[in-house]
Amino acid sequence: MRESMHVVRDGSREAPVLLLIHGSGFSSGTWKPVVPALAEHHHVVRVDLPGCGQSPPAPSYDVPAQARRVAAMLDDLGLRPAAVVGHSSGGYVATALAEQCPDLVRSLVLISTGPSPDAFLPQPFILRVLLAPPLGPLIWSRRSDAMIRKGISATCARPVDIPDDVVAELRPTTYRTLRSVLRQNTAYITEQSVPARLAALKVPLLAIFGAADPRWEPSSVHQYEAVPNARVELLPGVGHIPAFEAPEATSELLLDFTAAGR
């Protein structure tokens, strides 16, 4: 039996498919600021990865397994091929999907996706508190809406408005699930960097970073230039979550890139 994942679909079912994959601890709701513009031109499909949002937990969170679940979802819905967009570690799942099922991936966009372990920066204080023992497990289940918002805002370079429904979607993710996801993400890029993985493929690539990303060294986006014909974009004054911090600029980049790839 296939494992179920919560899926949200916007835009015409006849339009080209654009799949949006969120990052660790987030949900499909974190794409909401860019959905209206994207849905004017695409059949936008957002998924809650296992253990996140409205999707149930999974036995394993290793990146290739996550990609297989996404591939099964696309297959079940008859959605192929798709332009695939991954934010942060969602870019690892998108990359693994392209590795495993190149026929499903028309083009690939990686937003704030750390290319290799050496690009990882010292993390904001609140994230260190929430994610590391001994305090992390104690605080996580008791974290308030204000604390969730503070944790998100700590990764942004601009003030952001985080709606109540998005905060509510983030609450179900357990500490154990998130820690497992983070470990598997590290294992995936330690085994081989994302640019090295993609250099062996022929999928068109756009890599977007905020120039003020506090989680990953912004200049590391240039590692993606090792991928043949890759396009690299740096957004000035933007942190780790361009969809919230600069939705118009992010939407324009996505629409321009996907239009060129049709």
Side-chain angles (χ1 to χ4, degrees):
M1 180 181 297
R2 293 187 191 269
E3 296 162 340
S4 62
M5 289 191 297
H6 179 69
V7 177
V8 183
R9 302 166 73 175
D10 296 278
S12 170
R13 301 292 174 94
E14 305 304 316
V17 179
L18 182 64
L19 173 65
L20 305 179
I21 305 175
H22 64 81
S24 302
F26 285 101
S27 72
S28 58
T30 52
W31 293 105
K32 286 184 177 180
V34 298
V35 167
L38 299 178
E40 291 183 9
H41 304 274
H42 292 275
H43 175 193
V44 179
V45 179
R46 292 175 284 151
V47 61
D48 284 344
L49 293 175
C52 299
Q54 299 182 50
S55 291
S60 169
Y61 295 99
D62 71 87
V63 173
Q66 299 272 44
R68 286 191 292 272
R69 295 182 187 107
V70 173
M73 177 273 293
L74 291 172
D75 188 56
D76 288 345
L77 296 176
L79 301 175
R80 61 170 65 207
V84 182
V85 184
H87 171 245
S88 194
S89 64
Y92 304 149
V93 178
T95 297
L97 181 65
E99 288 178 304
Q100 296 175 15
C101 307
D103 59 312
L104 290 180
V105 182
R106 179 189 296 115
S107 60
L108 187 63
V109 181
L110 305 180
I111 302 177
S112 307
T113 298
S116 57
D118 60 357
F120 198 56
L121 294 174
Q123 297 301 285
F125 175 74
I126 187 171
L127 295 187
R128 297 200 303 270
V129 171
L130 282 171
L131 297 177
L135 294 180
L138 298 174
I139 296 174
W140 188 265
S141 62
R142 298 174 175 83
R143 68 199 192 284
S144 64
D145 289 359
M147 186 174 292
I148 292 175
R149 285 189 166 91
K150 188 174 182 180
I152 296 172
S153 296
T155 69
C156 299
R158 299 179 179 181
V160 292
D161 178 26
I162 305 161
D164 291 344
D165 58 344
V166 172
V167 173
E169 288 182 14
L170 304 184
R171 187 168 294 286
T173 302
T174 67
Y175 178 82
R176 178 177 293 183
T177 292
L178 184 57
R179 288 289 297 179
S180 178
V181 169
L182 294 174
R183 284 195 300 271
Q184 295 297 338
N185 292 339
T186 300
Y188 182 73
I189 62 173
T190 298
E191 180 184 53
Q192 189 177 24
S193 73
V194 181
R197 292 174 183 276
L198 293 176
L201 306 178
K202 295 181 179 180
V203 60
L205 171 68
L206 168 63
I208 302 171
F209 250 73
D213 192 324
R215 298 206 67 207
W216 297 91
E217 171 54 51
S219 65
S220 71
V221 71
H222 294 294
Q223 292 185 30
Y224 288 105
E225 292 171 350
V227 181
N229 302 313
R231 175 179 167 186
V232 169
E233 297 284 349
L234 266 172
L235 297 176
V238 174
H240 189 64
I241 315 180
F244 267 117
E245 299 176 73
E248 291 184 4
T250 303
S251 299
E252 288 174 5
L253 286 172
L254 294 179
L255 290 172
D256 178 68
F257 179 71
T258 53
R262 290 179 195 170

